[in-house]
Amino acid sequence: MKTLLLDGEALTGIAMVYLHLILAFSLVAFGYSQDVELQQTTTNYAYKETTESMRGVMENHKYESSLQRALAWLVTQREGNWGWRNDTPKVLTALTLAPQEVAAALLPTTLEMQLSFKQMEVEVVVLLWRHHEVPVTPPKLSQYCLALNALCYDPRQFHGHDLIGTLQHHETVQDLEFAYAILAACSARAHIRKRPIRRLLDIANTAKDHNIDTVAMTILALRCIVKDHRHRNLQHTLRRPSINLARQQQPDGGFGNLYNTALTLQALQDMNEINNHWNRTAARNYIESRQDPDGAFTDPNLTAEVVLALSDRGLGAIRNLDCGKFDSDDENHVDIDGLAKSFSTHGNDSEIRNVTITYTLWVGSNVTENSTISLTAPRNTSFYNVMQMAMDLDARFSFEASEWPNGHYVHTLAGYKEEPMGYHYWLLYRLPELPDPTAPPANQLVAPVGVDDLLIEEGDHYLFWYKKL
Ligand SMILES: *[C@@H]1O[C@H](CO)[C@@H](O)[C@H](O)[C@H]1NC(C)=O
Ligand SMILES: *[C@@H]1O[C@H](CO)[C@@H](O)[C@H](O)[C@H]1NC(C)=O
Ligand SMILES: *[C@@H]1O[C@H](CO)[C@@H](O)[C@H](O)[C@H]1NC(C)=O
Ligand SMILES: *[C@@H]1O[C@H](CO)[C@@H](O)[C@H](O)[C@H]1NC(C)=O
Ligand SMILES: *[C@@H]1O[C@H](CO)[C@@H](O)[C@H](O)[C@H]1NC(C)=O
Ligand SMILES: *[C@@H]1O[C@H](CO)[C@@H](O)[C@H](O)[C@H]1NC(C)=O
Ligand SMILES: *[C@@H]1O[C@H](CO)[C@@H](O)[C@H](O)[C@H]1NC(C)=O
């Protein structure tokens, strides 16, 4: 199997991101642990209630859908580190694309999803960092890229590393892996060159010589590619291979096994023009009849694949997800940056306006030192710049930060340095009112982003609190 290569410079960067992530992750995990524990108990409790009432419903009315039971089972398989062993990206993709309206009560909370996402980021960094011992395989990387995209993160800018570039760097020998990698690159809106497209078309046109999963994945990749206006002229080439795939349906409704059937359902999703060549309902029935009593389809890997097949959105939907960044299909006709810029210069929201905020330092879990300063600065100034202003005005606010690929990490303030060994950390809060040591803020008010990405708004109150976690 071919493996992917990384250069030394990328590696150093990755190692640094890794350390930072571990630190950030432990911060998040420790910082939130109380609430999470609390939330988790509530979630589990609610979940237990749901499943019990569901069991009643299932026995009495059979209301409950196969999809809902599969999702509920996936959530129960989550590990203590918020991941799903080898299947974290696949399960996260399935949970994200599942129709929220049928699953709202079953799905993890936003906070839980964030923790799972952090776990996935750690997995990717470990994967890249250890690539000499455990080779990074293209399917593994494709899975992570698709998951990042499904969650609206750009895999071409993973902490400064271009995962799609790494993926495209080596051509994959195996056709299924090749089609999967192209689907991942295309879903990230990377440009796909002529040669790989030709190879996909060759596979599609010689479907008899290939396995069903390879053909289904190839159709998924090609359907993604024709969404790019530069390749719209290829739309017509999809019809015949799709019909040929549809005709492979067997009398039992399936396409040989659960995996092939789930992948084919995704490949032929929304292709209503070929409906008379196969029976979609029979394929769904085939899948649903193979569900285990506990809701699983054998294992998390296969269950996630089935969830994608039974949802309205499968892997083929990832490219066009509305992440607020693109306007559907025509992204290449307009200069997105230019458009956004012209909106903001013509809108009055862009009027430079000064805002006033307060910035407080607390030292000690039982606050033993406190200082507050009030500052005025243009709206949307980063909190990092505000900290620099405060330091210039008042020596009590002096600080030191280290620079990481994803921004500054403040480790020392007012002479107190973080002591990870003793679990002493500086936690940053963004609050609606001036903090009061007799009623300290709850953990969910910890700022969601780093000091560089935190932009000040009128009436914000910031608190950096040095405390033992
Ligand atoms: C998931 O299933 C697919 C298809 O059987 C397989 O190729 C892949 O290796 C599995 N992934 C994991 C992590 O086991
Ligand atoms: C499709 O399959 C379903 C379930 O097996 C069956 O009820 C239905 O009649 C089939 N439809 C057609 C058009 O054959
Ligand atoms: C936008 O701002 C300009 C100048 O600052 C002003 O002339 C215009 O009336 C404002 N438009 C709106 C809709 O407030
Ligand atoms: C400040 O940020 C908000 C949200 O990002 C944005 O809508 C607004 O246009 C920005 N204002 C300025 C003056 O940059
Ligand atoms: C904080 O205050 C409480 C009660 O006033 C006290 O029991 C505790 O020992 C104090 N903790 C520290 C670290 O001083
Ligand atoms: C904050 O510090 C000042 C001295 O700088 C002190 O007078 C005040 O009581 C402190 N406030 C609290 C709530 O600890
Ligand atoms: C905004 O604040 C800066 C100082 O931070 C000051 O120089 C500038 O004049 C202020 N602008 C307005 C419009 O108040």
Side-chain angles (χ1 to χ4, degrees), residues 90-216:
K90 221 166 172 180
V91 174
L92 271 180
T93 306
L95 294 182
T96 306
L97 296 181
Q100 308 293 307
E101 61 282 3
V102 309
L106 309 164
L107 292 175
T109 61
T110 312
L111 174 61
E112 292 173 306
M113 283 297 273
Q114 280 171 358
L115 289 167
S116 293
F117 176 71
K118 277 276 169 223
Q119 169 61 18
M120 187 175 86
E121 281 188 295
V122 169
E123 286 177 22
V124 176
V125 172
V126 170
L127 189 77
L128 297 178
W129 197 18
R130 299 184 57 205
H131 77 282
H132 282 305
E133 303 154 53
V134 187
V136 183
T137 62
K140 196 104 203 128
L141 202 50
S142 303
Q143 243 177 49
Y144 282 110
C145 289
L146 283 164
L148 285 165
N149 257 125
L151 287 151
C152 292
Y153 288 85
D154 187 353
R156 289 172 300 180
Q157 292 171 35
F158 179 79
H159 296 280
H161 190 84
D162 179 4
L163 298 181
I164 297 291
T166 306
L167 190 57
Q168 288 182 315
H169 194 260
H170 282 259
E171 200 158 310
T172 28
V173 177
Q174 220 221 337
D175 287 332
L176 175 61
E177 295 184 355
F178 167 73
Y180 195 31
I182 297 292
L183 175 65
C186 171
S187 299
R189 298 180 176 240
H191 180 56
I192 310 296
R193 292 177 186 286
K194 285 221 173 68
R195 208 157 64 93
I197 295 178
R198 223 174 285 134
R199 180 169 167 193
L200 287 173
L201 288 171
D202 281 347
I203 301 169
N205 290 324
T206 54
K208 282 194 195 68
D209 305 334
H210 294 93
N211 296 329
I212 292 195
D213 48 1
T214 305
V215 178

Side-chain angles (χ1 to χ4, degrees), residues 204 207 215 219 236-249 255 264 267-268 271 273-278:
V215 178
I219 289 175
H236 72 279
T237 61
L238 280 167
R239 189 178 152 81
R240 210 161 50 91
S242 304
I243 291 173
N244 286 340
L245 176 61
R247 283 187 178 152
Q248 307 264 336
Q249 188 170 33
F255 287 79
T264 302
L268 302 182
M271 271 199 160
E273 65 276 17
I274 64 161
N275 276 353
N276 52 349
H277 295 280
W278 70 306

Side-chain angles (χ1 to χ4, degrees), residues 354 376-378 389:
N354 277 349
T376 299
M389 286 171 60

Side-chain angles (χ1 to χ4, degrees), residues 31-51:
Y32 279 113
S33 60
Q34 265 185 323
D35 301 292
V36 169
E37 252 164 45
L38 221 128
Q39 272 204 351
Q40 210 179 357
T41 6
T42 3
T43 318
N44 288 345
Y45 181 61
Y47 171 70
K48 220 171 275 160
E49 274 190 343
T50 330
T51 40

Side-chain angles (χ1 to χ4, degrees), residues 269-289:
Q269 200 162 45
D270 305 324
M271 271 199 160
N272 293 325
E273 65 276 17
I274 64 161
N275 276 353
N276 52 349
H277 295 280
W278 70 306
N279 185 332
R280 193 185 301 269
T281 312
R284 293 179 75 102
N285 289 350
Y286 169 93
I287 288 181
E288 289 180 359
S289 70

